[in-house]
Amino acid sequence: MLQKILIVILSCFLLIGMFSMSAYADEYVIALVVKNVGNPFFDAVARGGQDACDDLGHTLIFQGPPTPTVEGQIEIIENLIAQRVDAICVSANDYDALVPVMQRAMDAGILAISFDSGIHPDGRLLHINQADFELIGRLQVQAIAEMIDFEGEIAVLSAGATMTNQNIWIEWMQEELKEPEYENMELVTIVYGDDLRDKSYNEAMGLFKSYPDLRGIISPTTVGIGATGKAITDAGLIGQVQLTGLGLPSEMAEWIQNGACQAMFLWNPVDLGYLTTYVAGLLLDGEISGAVGEEFAAGRMGEKVVTEAEDGGIEVLLGPPFRFDASNIDEWKDVY
Amino acid sequence: MNDSNHVSSVDFLKNLRGFRELGLVVFIVSISLLIGARNPRFLTWGNLHDMLLDTSILSILAIGMMLVLVTGGIDLSAESGIALTGMIVGLTLIRYPQIPAVLTLFMGMALGAGFGAITGAIVAGGRVIPIIATLGMMYVYRGLTFIVSGGRWVNAYEMPDDFKAMATGRLLGFSNLILIAIVVYIVFTYFINHTETGRQIFAVGSNREAARIIGIRTNRIIWLVYTLSGALYGLAGVMWIARYASAQSDSASGYVFTIVAACVLGGVAITGGVGSISGILLGSITIGIINNALPMIRVSPFWRTALTGAIILIAVIVNIAITRNIERKALLQRKI
Amino acid sequence: MNGLKMDTYVLELKNISKYFPGVKALEEVGFNLKKGEIHALVGENGAGKSTLIKIITGVLQPDEGEIFFHGEKIVFSDPTVAQKNLIAAIYQNPTCFPHLSVTENIFMGHPIVEPRTRRLLWNEMNAEAMRLLKTLGSELNPGSKMGDLSVAQQQMVEIAKALSLDARILIMDEPTAALTSRETEELYEITRTLRKKGTSVVFISHRFEDIYQIADRVTVLRDGKSVGTWNVSEISEGELIKAMVGREISQLFPKSEVPIGDEVLRVEGLSRVGYFADISFSLHEGEILGFSGLVGSGRSEVAQAIFGIHPYDGGKIFVRGKEVPIDSPWKAMEMGIGYLPEDRQLQGLVLPLTITDNITLSTLDRYARKGWLKSRAGHDISQKLFSLLKIKASSIFDKTYSLSGGNQQKVVVGKLLAGELRILIMDEPTKGVDVGAKSAIHKIMSDLAANGFALIMISSEMPEILGMSDSIVVMREGRITRTFSREEANQEKLLTAAVEVGR
Amino acid sequence: MESTKTSIIPGGLSLREVFLRWEWLLVGLIVGVSIVNGRLSPHFWDYAGLMDAMAVFLEKGFIVLPVAMILISGEIDISVSSIVALSSVLMALSFQAGLPMVLAICVAVAVGTACGAFNGFLITRIPGLSSVIVTLAANSLFRGIAYIVLGDRAVGGFPRWYSYLSWGYLGSSSIPFIILAFGIVAVFFGLVLHKTTFGRKVYAIGNNQVAARFSGIPVSRIKLILFTLAGVMSGLAAVFLTSKLGSSRPNVALGYELEVIAIAVLGGVSPAGGKGGIPGAILALILMRLLRYGLGLINVPGQVMLVVIGIILVLVVMLPNLIGSVRISRKRFG
């Protein structure tokens, strides 16, 4: 009996496979490879990517490993090379480790683009930057400073210790904190929740206990800020410990409404996916060449420009991050 | 018969086996005092309560794992079982927010028992070695978690308030979650020590062939322990999403090692037949202390993983050393 | 109620056949049991005794034939059915739960429970266990862990378990194999008491002593068929042997007189904390040195210390006059010492491997060049020993688990001989081995001694010790109490030394 | 003993024949999966692509070999992924400190060896300490040390030739170098396990450790060698993995420990010890790879792939049991 059920399930999967294959007739195939699947942020990215493909008449493949490992991404990219897709857009789990495989993709004539979390210029043609690293880093410090009146201890609760984006943001945070107006503030520690709900929560709770005078926490990662919001609420520290960072509105709605977090930031992942895929489509169509300074119309995103990136490569900037607070969270919490 | 002489020494040894747990108690107390010396807040009632709260979910999972380990098996699928039941209950709560919180606990148990029953059927009926059967089901349940959720998370604002209150609420000064764990412990202490089925689990683990010969339906017992393990991870799954106010598809990734470590620390033999409720409770608490205390005494996050491993290793070795020393003393006292 | 069928048997098996893939384990076997009788079931290993018992207890189901219980046809579809009908069995290797307490072992499967809630009543069970053990003359603590007990003590618990079932039919599969003479006597007494109470007992044994002491009737099985059933008083030992093996065996213990040569092994003041102390003896070429004493007196521990399994912490071992520290079996074998362990299935053989793999196991490096196996060389040696030892199997490539106990034991002996070891310690070499194989093993031992090998034989069987040994060492509670020469030893003296009355 | 007499198998299938049967099953599955894959995706039978696909994460295969041997000896090692991470990190650091790359590679292997020996030492020297507990704790310990020494940094910038190990091809052919390297190592392991006294002793220990000890086999020493070997191969795997990634971080090779065991068991190795062999493990590796490759080519989402692989793992291991029970019942009643 059980066997029969299993066979039925198996054949269903094979059918799904056939279905996805039948979509090959279209002109270009663009693959979006994300850090991991099962993450609402990247689901929103995929929605944006699909919109762009619909606008341009291309086919989208959305893939990602179940856990955010670079090994899983390499395997997926190898498979994409083997089926000769036309463009691979990747949000990398590691800044360096995807370079060799993306070079192989480029050797095979595939367009290599990184977005969200970038890779080294050697392994990409272009990076779609959701927002300026410097701006995001500084913005979060400014926000927390306002909340705590420029005075007191703050801490950072990050994702994994090896996350590219988070580490750059944190560097810029430390840079911003050197400014004179923050002389009464002190960044006491950086802890890592590894983007695991339970670990992030425990780390936040640990912060409250080991730093009783803590005034604020910056958590530049979606899982971390959500867990910290819950931890602040549970510990009864709403108002005493302030929270800001980068979070998903859907997840943060509760903690913004109850005051645990006055404000936090994020760009629109739907737009990010749209822009990434759209740019890839334009490059494939030969509409743009990807030279620095080139200006182009990016569908519903309006006018964009190719600029030089901080790491020496080139990039397209999505725009400033969006600020979410009690006044606007209700409109967004159901969107992503 | 000349039993008496030999027997008394055997009894002596048997009583001393209890000291294995005493060793763990000594370890817990000494490490607590050590940490308390570094950070006095560690030994406050509030923190001890938090620590128990942290341990409540783990300790429940440890019971299920112990029952499986006692029969000589292992349940690697527990970790994705947590995620899957949590996710299904979370999704149900979005559609039917009026479901009373207490009912969700039973719902989780029923779902988990269902998943556990499938795993158990594969192990008992399909005669697949437990480590492989449960590894396979670990993948399957994790994949299903992604599939049923479509990659989305269940966020705090989507959960009914009384559900979230279940995790934060207190009764008689104890968090509800601790109370749930206490109830589970009472029930299972009774089940294991005072019911026929409970003892049959140990009989099957001690000598399966002998159990079969005296008429115990060994397959049924093996199926039962996986089902019970399922019911318990189902319960834990609901507690998990209530505690962190979020259901994610990658919840509890890698958590199974923590559960097994708690059992092993608590003296459960991987080879089957041996395990006690008091032991796994102490084992869970030891793990809870490690997780809770290291952040509190400001151990660098980069040191924690290594320290966790080292502490487990040292605890086990010290325990063995103590037991061997005692046994040696007993031998020395034996008259020849 | 069966009031009308007064004369029927308690249990009657008719034309029972049982097939395993390729083998007829039982062929049209008939067997019956009267109320209040002790019925011995004998036969060589592999004759089908165990299969028959498993059918009676419902562990196995017959392929053909019928079973009548109190004159009514019954089907034992699984062990619980037999248990409900109060049939209990004590198996050859105690089927215990080593991690659980004595009480649990006794009551597992039929606990005393509170009738309404079905809660286990531990106090009642402990008290009852204590009482049962007392009636057996044992003072075991019901709380002891089964795994910590000796085999004999475990056997006692098994018997207590059968008593607790209040069985009407009790099956004992070689219950005396692990017991010392005194314990055996106790067991006889218990069995007779049970008979008086109307219990029927099926008694399986290799020891004729058992049969003639207590059995009323005896049924002989050979090659899966029943040879016949006799009243014990009407059949002689010789006839019984003939019925079992289908031929006559003249002498059981053929140790031939050979001149005793040089000293090859001397042990001085050997001791291991908690197990034995101050053990001294010497062993010569051509000699068989018997080690007697009760089970648990430290005989095996001494042997294992000399073989390097467990380290000794005091004393010296001399091989051919030179002191050698022995800390591993590997080292012991280098010194020419070999050990035939007591438990051949656990310690002697790697059951899933073939006969040749087992025979060559301890000498693998000899059949290899720089680590690469040259299987041929190993096969040649195995083939030679296979023929020499007359192992009954189709070839040296048979798996050892498919062999009978006696042939398995011969394989272990073969492994020992392949090692070209000159000092052999044999721990219970004929335990659980049928008559034919037993005599063959004794013959081999005698031949070895004649060829200048030096042997130590540990045995619990008095006739074996007395018949085979040139001199006899008796141990009690970890110490040597007496040493006898072949001429001065007799059963009574050995027993006295083993229990040391009036200590 | 008499009861075992009952289990005589007619025509006595030898262990080797049983192995063969299992391996034929795997071969059949490989052929089946290939056919299905070929029908589902037009790209599957692309020879160069297939070769590249086989080479993806073949370093896992390097670890499968010793882990299979450890399982056959009745033990388990769940610390291999952390040994890979630690070896990789220390290799990168020593390169950064100015050591020539060749010596840095030696460092990786040496670190792996030391870690494996550490495991083996604890397991064999402290009776009562099981390999599950030791390697479970060592799993945290080794990775933790990797985090301590490297923290949140990544180290890269290796010489160009180093990337050849994982990305290069043999001459102008389309056979990746790593396949050749793996082939050599696999043959070596196959010979050691199946053709040497050492391998025979491993099987004896796995089938009956007590009897092996009573037969004068140095059980502890062999286990020590096995765990050390797992360390050596993990170090080697780290060399290839780091070459593949072009940089090193403490979080590489996460989750390898269970995958490696799954592959070995799929290959017919019994975690209870004494059963299985290297050919089966290699076939299972190929099967697993083809399966993932095929599913990847038709863009089955990662989460669905998890479900499929889980089900296949269970089904394949269950298959012989089901067939067996059907056959037995047919014999009994038919």
Side-chain angles (χ1 to χ4, degrees):
Chain A
M1 186 57 210
L2 185 67
Q3 263 177 300
K4 274 187 192 158
I5 295 169
L6 293 180
I7 288 165
V8 170
I9 294 173
L10 257 182
S11 28
C12 287
F13 293 141
L14 292 178
L15 277 177
I16 296 170
M18 306 240 219
F19 176 71
S20 57
M21 206 192 73
S22 65
Y24 265 99
D26 290 37
E27 207 175 350
Y28 287 118
V29 181
I30 300 171
L32 274 180
V33 180
V34 298
K35 286 184 176 178
N36 65 322
V37 289
N39 184 331
F41 178 87
F42 290 116
D43 279 346
V45 166
R47 265 185 278 150
Q50 193 58 53
D51 291 348
C53 278
D54 291 346
D55 286 358
L56 293 169
H58 297 321
T59 302
L60 183 81
I61 294 174
F62 176 71
Q63 271 288 26
T67 49
T69 62
V70 68
E71 287 94 339
Q73 287 190 312
I74 290 180
E75 188 182 335
I76 288 168
I77 293 170
E78 288 264 12
N79 286 342
L80 292 171
I81 297 172
Q83 50 177 301
R84 303 196 190 96
V85 297
D86 300 289
I88 296 174
C89 312
V90 61
S91 167
N93 282 318
D94 191 301
Y95 184 71
D96 302 297
L98 285 180
V99 172
V101 72
M102 287 301 269
Q103 279 175 340
R104 170 178 280 204
M106 288 195 283
D107 289 347
I110 296 169
L111 189 61
I113 292 179
S114 66
F115 70 99
D116 178 42
S117 174
I119 61 175
H120 192 274
D122 287 352
R124 71 174 206 236
L125 182 69
L126 188 76
H127 178 59
I128 307 296
N129 199 350
Q130 61 272 42
D132 198 346
F133 282 113
E134 181 176 350
L135 180 66
I136 294 175
R138 291 184 187 272
L139 209 54
Q140 293 178 62
V141 174
Q142 288 157 9
I144 200 82
E146 270 171 39
M147 293 178 199
I148 64 171
D149 295 326
F150 293 86
E151 202 178 323
E153 295 179 347
I154 60 167
V156 171
L157 196 157
S158 184
T162 58
M163 295 293 176
T164 326
N165 284 359
Q166 273 79 11
N167 288 343
I168 299 176
W169 291 327
I170 291 169
E171 274 171 37
W172 280 113
M173 287 179 204
Q174 285 163 329
E175 204 59 38
E176 174 77 8
L177 280 168
K178 287 180 188 154
E179 304 285 329
E181 63 257 44
Y182 304 112
E183 60 183 9
N184 291 327
M185 282 168 58
E186 189 197 354
L187 175 58
V188 287
T189 186
I190 301 167
V191 294
Y192 301 92
D194 287 343
D195 270 352
L196 292 173
R197 181 77 40 179
D198 51 328
K199 185 151 187 239
S200 304
Y201 182 90
N202 280 343
E203 290 293 344
M205 283 291 188
L207 283 177
F208 305 149
K209 284 168 193 157
S210 46
Y211 299 96
D213 299 326
L214 195 71
R215 295 291 319 280
I217 295 176
I218 302 175
S219 182
T221 171
T222 53
V223 175
I225 193 172
T228 311
K230 171 76 170 143
I232 290 176
T233 310
D234 287 359
L237 292 172
I238 294 175
Q240 258 171 283
V241 176
Q242 299 295 344
L243 171 67
T244 193
L246 307 175
L248 285 166
S250 55
E251 210 191 340
M252 287 302 290
E254 177 91 1
W255 319 123
I256 288 179
Q257 280 160 350
N258 77 4
C261 173
Q262 290 181 13
M264 57 99 193
F265 303 88
L266 200 68
W267 42 91
N268 186 331
V270 182
D271 288 350
L272 180 62
Y274 184 87
L275 180 63
T276 304
T277 317
Y278 204 91
V279 170
L282 289 180
L283 283 165
L284 288 171
D285 290 337
E287 308 237 337
I288 59 172
S289 63
V292 176
E294 191 174 7
E295 292 184 22
F296 58 95
R300 71 181 189 208
M301 301 305 298
E303 290 294 314
K304 292 289 169 190
V305 61
V306 181
T307 55
E308 205 153 323
E310 228 175 293
D311 58 10
I314 53 168
E315 67 179 24
V316 174
L317 196 65
L318 177 70
F322 190 80
R323 180 185 162 106
F324 296 93
D325 55 31
S327 66
N328 61 13
I329 192 73
D330 279 336
E331 318 164 24
W332 289 102
K333 69 181 184 187
D334 294 323
V335 181
Y336 64 93
Chain B
M1 314 224 80
N2 72 331
D3 289 322
S4 50
N5 210 345
H6 184 55
V7 166
S8 61
S9 59
V10 164
D11 282 353
F12 181 57
L13 281 182
K14 183 184 170 288
N15 291 335
L16 285 173
R17 283 225 171 76
F19 280 82
R20 188 193 157 84
E21 281 163 22
L22 189 71
L24 215 50
V25 172
V26 170
F27 186 83
I28 290 173
V29 170
S30 48
I31 200 170
S32 301
L33 290 178
L34 219 69
I35 294 160
R38 291 273 318 255
N39 184 346
R41 289 191 62 174
F42 181 77
L43 291 176
T44 58
W45 164 243
N47 186 59
L48 291 179
H49 179 271
D50 285 355
M51 211 174 65
L52 286 179
L53 185 58
D54 279 340
T55 314
S56 59
I57 294 179
L58 176 62
S59 62
I60 287 178
L61 290 163
I63 297 181
M65 188 61 81
M66 176 184 85
L67 291 178
V68 176
L69 288 172
V70 160
T71 63
I74 190 167
D75 192 355
L76 297 176
S77 67
E79 59 167 63
S80 32
I82 297 169
L84 182 54
T85 48
M87 182 58 79
I88 295 177
V89 169
L91 292 171
T92 315
L93 280 174
I94 294 180
R95 289 199 56 183
Y96 306 102
Q98 67 277 20
I99 296 176
V102 182
L103 202 63
T104 59
L105 292 175
F106 290 101
M107 196 181 138
M109 284 173 79
L111 275 171
F115 301 135
I118 295 174
T119 315
I122 292 171
V123 175
R127 284 179 289 151
V128 178
I129 356 169
I131 193 168
I132 287 304
T134 58
L135 180 63
M137 295 321 280
M138 171 177 135
Y139 292 144
V140 172
Y141 295 151
R142 180 68 68 188
L144 285 178
T145 313
F146 286 108
I147 292 168
V148 295
S149 66
R152 73 186 301 269
W153 296 350
V154 178
N155 297 301
Y157 81 93
E158 294 166 305
M159 294 179 183
D161 287 332
D162 71 324
F163 180 71
K164 283 175 288 189
M166 180 175 69
T168 48
R170 291 189 177 207
L171 192 68
L172 308 169
F174 284 97
S175 158
N176 289 341
L177 296 188
I178 297 180
L179 294 175
I180 293 174
I182 291 175
V183 170
V184 171
Y185 264 76
I186 292 172
V187 168
F188 274 85
T189 305
Y190 180 84
F191 171 70
I192 287 172
N193 292 326
H194 296 285
T195 69
E196 208 181 334
T197 315
R199 295 318 299 169
Q200 285 179 351
I201 292 172
F202 281 77
V204 169
S206 187
N207 185 343
R208 188 179 300 189
E209 187 56 25
R212 206 176 65 80
I213 285 178
I214 64 168
I216 295 175
R217 293 201 209 121
T218 51
N219 267 348
R220 208 190 57 123
I221 293 288
I222 287 168
W223 175 80
L224 179 73
V225 293
Y226 287 92
T227 309
L228 286 175
S229 167
L232 288 174
Y233 65 61
L235 177 65
V238 178
M239 290 167 73
W240 186 287
I241 64 164
R243 173 145 166 78
Y244 302 116
S246 166
Q248 273 175 251
S249 32
D250 59 350
S251 290
S253 273
Y255 203 63
V256 70
F257 286 131
T258 312
I259 308 171
V260 174
C263 288
V264 165
L265 273 177
V268 179
I270 300 283
T271 44
V274 185
S276 71
I277 286 277
S278 52
I280 54 166
L281 185 57
L282 291 173
S284 309
I285 290 176
T286 310
I287 300 265
I289 288 182
I290 295 172
N291 287 340
N292 184 277
L294 293 184
M296 281 197 70
I297 52 171
R298 304 186 186 181
V299 173
S300 150
F302 297 115
W303 278 82
R304 275 180 222 155
T305 320
L307 276 177
T308 310
I311 288 173
I312 292 175
L313 208 51
I314 291 168
V316 175
I317 292 177
V318 164
N319 234 327
I320 286 179
I322 291 173
T323 321
R324 276 169 87 191
N325 199 20
I326 289 169
E327 277 176 4
R328 188 169 166 75
K329 280 197 181 127
L331 278 180
L332 279 170
Q333 285 175 359
R334 198 145 96 182
K335 189 185 135 233
I336 295 177
Chain C
M1 285 287 127
N2 294 328
L4 293 174
K5 301 177 177 175
M6 289 292 285
D7 284 344
T8 51
Y9 295 110
V10 179
L11 184 76
E12 193 175 10
L13 279 70
K14 283 183 182 163
N15 299 327
I16 296 286
S17 296
K18 175 76 190 169
Y19 309 103
F20 293 110
V23 176
K24 276 186 181 174
L26 291 177
E27 210 179 334
E28 302 195 351
V29 170
F31 179 80
N32 53 54
L33 191 60
K34 291 180 194 161
K35 187 173 157 68
E37 78 162 342
I38 299 174
H39 193 142
L41 188 60
V42 298
E44 288 194 286
N45 277 322
K49 303 185 301 269
S50 291
T51 313
L52 190 64
I53 285 177
K54 283 186 178 158
I55 285 172
I56 297 175
T57 51
V59 176
L60 293 174
Q61 282 72 49
D63 294 320
E64 282 157 29
E66 293 170 319
I67 301 174
F68 295 89
F69 188 70
H70 286 287
E72 281 178 11
K73 197 178 162 184
I74 191 164
V75 176
F76 293 129
S77 51
D78 67 75
T80 43
V81 178
Q83 264 179 19
K84 276 189 198 120
N85 289 292
L86 303 176
I87 298 175
I90 300 164
Y91 292 94
Q92 197 170 350
N93 289 355
T95 49
C96 69
F97 304 107
H99 304 99
L100 306 184
S101 72
V102 167
T103 305
E104 285 209 76
N105 268 281
I106 292 176
F107 288 103
M108 186 61 72
H110 58 282
I112 303 176
V113 293
E114 220 259 326
R116 202 167 39 81
T117 57
R118 301 206 53 78
R119 182 170 64 88
L120 299 177
L121 299 172
W122 285 114
N123 290 337
E124 282 78 350
M125 282 194 269
N126 280 327
E128 177 67 9
M130 184 90 90
R131 192 188 66 77
L132 287 168
L133 288 166
K134 276 246 171 66
T135 61
L136 297 174
S138 167
E139 282 171 17
L140 271 176
N141 182 334
S144 304
K145 217 172 88 168
M146 195 73 167
D148 293 335
L149 306 184
S150 70
V151 177
Q153 288 171 325
Q154 291 180 358
Q155 198 74 260
M156 277 298 150
V157 176
E158 289 281 320
I159 296 167
K161 178 176 164 184
L163 292 183
S164 77
L165 278 168
D166 215 1
R168 275 190 272 175
I169 298 175
L170 180 61
I171 298 156
M172 299 187 180
D173 192 354
E174 290 217 45
T176 57
L179 302 188
T180 59
S181 352
R182 230 163 56 116
E183 290 165 332
T184 308
E185 275 302 330
E186 303 238 6
L187 182 74
Y188 291 162
E189 212 39 60
I190 295 156
T191 319
R192 289 187 193 112
T193 318
L194 287 174
R195 172 168 60 186
K196 249 179 248 158
K197 288 201 292 188
T199 312
S200 311
V201 179
V202 180
F203 199 103
I204 295 179
S205 181
H206 278 123
R207 294 193 192 178
F208 291 147
E209 197 187 345
D210 294 341
I211 299 162
Y212 285 100
Q213 280 277 339
I214 56 165
D216 302 312
R217 290 196 298 159
V218 56
T219 293
V220 178
L221 290 183
R222 188 171 76 223
D223 299 332
K225 293 174 198 140
S226 53
V227 179
T229 302
W230 294 270
N231 284 327
V232 170
S233 51
E234 292 164 6
I235 183 167
S236 75
E237 203 166 314
E239 288 167 324
L240 205 50
I241 292 175
K242 202 174 158 189
M244 280 167 65
V245 298
R247 63 181 193 278
E248 278 183 72
I249 291 173
S250 52
Q251 201 191 355
L252 281 176
F253 307 113
K255 160 71 175 161
S256 51
E257 289 290 333
V258 293
I260 305 294
D262 298 339
E263 179 189 271
V264 288
L265 176 75
R266 191 166 83 248
V267 172
E268 280 182 9
L270 207 66
S271 59
R272 178 176 170 214
V273 171
Y275 292 95
F276 55 83
D278 205 17
I279 302 292
S280 303
F281 62 87
S282 69
L283 180 69
H284 305 79
E285 279 181 1
E287 182 184 25
I288 295 182
L289 177 64
F291 262 68
S292 184
L294 304 177
V295 171
S297 60
R299 300 170 308 177
S300 297
E301 285 80 0
V302 170
Q304 293 182 1
I306 296 171
F307 188 59
I309 296 281
H310 297 296
Y312 50 93
D313 30 39
K316 291 170 182 169
I317 297 175
F318 298 86
V319 175
R320 296 180 198 283
K322 232 178 86 188
E323 194 201 334
V324 283
I326 291 175
D327 54 4
S328 66
W330 182 69
K331 182 96 189 177
M333 291 172 71
E334 216 171 42
M335 301 317 306
I337 302 173
Y339 177 60
L340 180 122
E342 179 183 5
D343 185 337
R344 63 177 162 271
Q345 300 222 338
L346 181 68
Q347 301 163 332
L349 293 172
V350 182
L351 288 174
L353 297 188
T354 61
I355 294 174
T356 173
D357 283 345
N358 271 289
I359 289 182
T360 56
L361 193 58
S362 57
T363 45
L364 272 177
D365 295 316
R366 286 193 206 154
Y367 321 117
R369 190 180 299 142
K370 288 185 179 152
W372 299 103
L373 264 181
K374 300 259 175 284
S375 307
R376 275 290 296 279
H379 294 168
D380 291 346
I381 301 267
S382 308
Q383 192 61 53
K384 229 161 76 190
L385 288 164
F386 183 76
S387 327
L388 183 77
L389 296 169
K390 301 193 180 71
I391 297 172
K392 275 181 219 148
S394 55
S395 80
I396 56 167
F397 301 107
D398 278 13
K399 301 285 162 50
T400 46
Y401 60 71
S402 67
L403 303 179
S404 71
N407 284 306
Q408 286 182 343
Q409 190 73 334
K410 284 183 188 171
V411 174
V412 187
V413 172
K415 181 170 76 180
L416 220 49
L417 296 185
E420 292 172 19
L421 308 163
R422 302 290 289 181
I423 305 166
L424 304 180
I425 308 170
M426 303 184 137
D427 199 344
E428 304 278 8
T430 61
K431 183 178 149 194
V433 158
D434 58 63
V435 192
K438 192 172 191 166
S439 128
I441 288 169
H442 286 148
K443 173 100 174 52
I444 294 164
M445 292 173 69
S446 182
D447 289 350
L448 286 173
N451 283 309
F453 284 65
L455 278 74
I456 293 174
M457 180 183 72
I458 300 170
S459 175
S460 298
E461 268 191 69
M462 289 285 177
E464 182 172 70
I465 283 277
L466 290 168
M468 293 293 297
S469 314
D470 293 300
S471 47
I472 299 162
V473 168
V474 184
M475 283 186 69
R476 187 188 71 85
E477 292 183 5
R479 287 177 186 275
I480 294 180
T481 49
R482 288 286 303 275
T483 307
F484 299 95
S485 71
R486 185 185 180 96
E487 294 73 34
E488 60 186 353
N490 65 32
Q491 199 147 345
E492 199 187 343
K493 280 186 186 165
L494 290 187
L495 194 62
T496 314
V499 298
E500 209 191 30
V501 198
R503 57 175 147 157
Chain D
M1 207 182 83
E2 215 169 335
S3 63
T4 51
K5 166 89 177 174
T6 58
S7 58
I8 288 180
I9 297 169
L13 273 171
S14 82
L15 263 184
R16 192 169 305 139
E17 284 164 306
V18 176
F19 286 0
L20 271 180
R21 265 205 326 197
W22 181 261
E23 279 146 20
W24 283 122
L25 174 75
L26 289 174
V27 169
L29 280 170
I30 288 173
V31 171
V33 167
S34 303
I35 291 170
V36 172
N37 281 348
R39 295 197 59 145
L40 286 181
S41 165
H43 305 292
F44 181 78
W45 286 115
D46 180 325
Y47 173 67
L50 203 55
M51 275 295 164
D52 285 342
M54 292 319 296
V56 174
F57 296 111
L58 194 55
E59 59 276 352
K60 250 179 246 172
F62 286 95
I63 319 175
V64 169
L65 303 169
V67 165
M69 279 172 83
I70 288 179
L71 290 173
I72 289 171
S73 81
E75 301 285 336
I76 198 168
D77 190 344
I78 42 181
S79 69
V80 283
S81 64
S82 299
I83 300 182
V84 172
L86 184 57
S87 305
S88 167
V89 161
L90 289 178
M91 174 182 75
L93 274 182
S94 52
F95 171 73
Q96 202 183 35
L99 223 57
M101 196 60 217
V102 178
L103 288 183
I105 288 175
C106 297
V107 168
V109 177
V111 170
T113 313
C115 291
F118 173 81
N119 284 339
F121 182 81
L122 287 181
I123 292 161
T124 54
R125 284 303 153 88
I126 304 181
L129 209 51
S130 83
S131 52
V132 181
I133 301 167
V134 171
T135 56
L136 184 75
N139 195 28
S140 298
L141 186 62
F142 297 150
R143 193 173 293 278
I145 295 173
Y147 270 110
I148 291 170
V149 295
L150 202 54
D152 56 2
R153 291 184 297 142
V155 177
F158 303 115
R160 226 177 156 66
W161 63 265
Y162 176 56
S163 70
Y164 177 82
L165 293 183
S166 274
W167 295 101
Y169 297 93
L170 290 174
S172 57
S173 72
S174 53
I175 300 172
F177 171 75
I178 190 171
I179 289 189
L180 176 75
F182 176 74
I184 294 171
V185 174
V187 167
F188 171 75
F189 268 84
L191 289 176
V192 165
L193 185 60
H194 299 292
K195 293 285 173 205
T196 66
T197 55
F198 180 81
R200 192 63 64 82
K201 288 171 187 170
V202 170
Y203 277 105
I205 293 171
N207 273 311
N208 186 344
Q209 179 170 327
V210 179
R213 200 164 128 69
F214 274 82
S215 301
I217 291 173
V219 174
S220 292
R221 196 191 310 164
I222 285 176
K223 281 190 182 166
L224 180 64
I225 293 173
L226 286 178
F227 279 96
T228 311
L229 211 52
V232 174
M233 296 311 291
S234 301
L236 201 60
V239 172
F240 282 98
L241 178 63
T242 315
S243 159
K244 176 130 250 166
L245 302 178
S247 65
S248 173
R249 280 186 189 279
N251 64 346
V252 296
L254 270 178
Y256 275 22
E257 62 276 350
L258 289 180
E259 278 181 63
V260 161
I261 292 172
I263 290 171
V265 174
L266 192 62
V269 173
S270 160
K275 268 190 243 157
I278 297 293
I282 294 169
L283 286 173
L285 190 69
I286 295 172
L287 175 65
M288 202 67 137
R289 199 54 229 130
L290 282 181
L291 205 59
R292 292 186 68 100
Y293 180 54
L295 291 173
L297 278 186
I298 55 171
N299 295 309
V300 169
Q303 52 270 50
V304 179
M305 206 187 285
L306 272 182
V307 177
V308 174
I309 287 185
I311 290 174
I312 287 182
L313 189 63
V314 170
L315 272 188
V316 170
V317 179
M318 191 155 52
L319 201 63
N321 299 341
L322 294 177
I323 293 171
S325 56
V326 167
R327 252 206 343 222
I328 285 172
S329 58
R330 210 172 266 163
K331 217 168 220 159
R332 192 173 292 163
F333 304 110

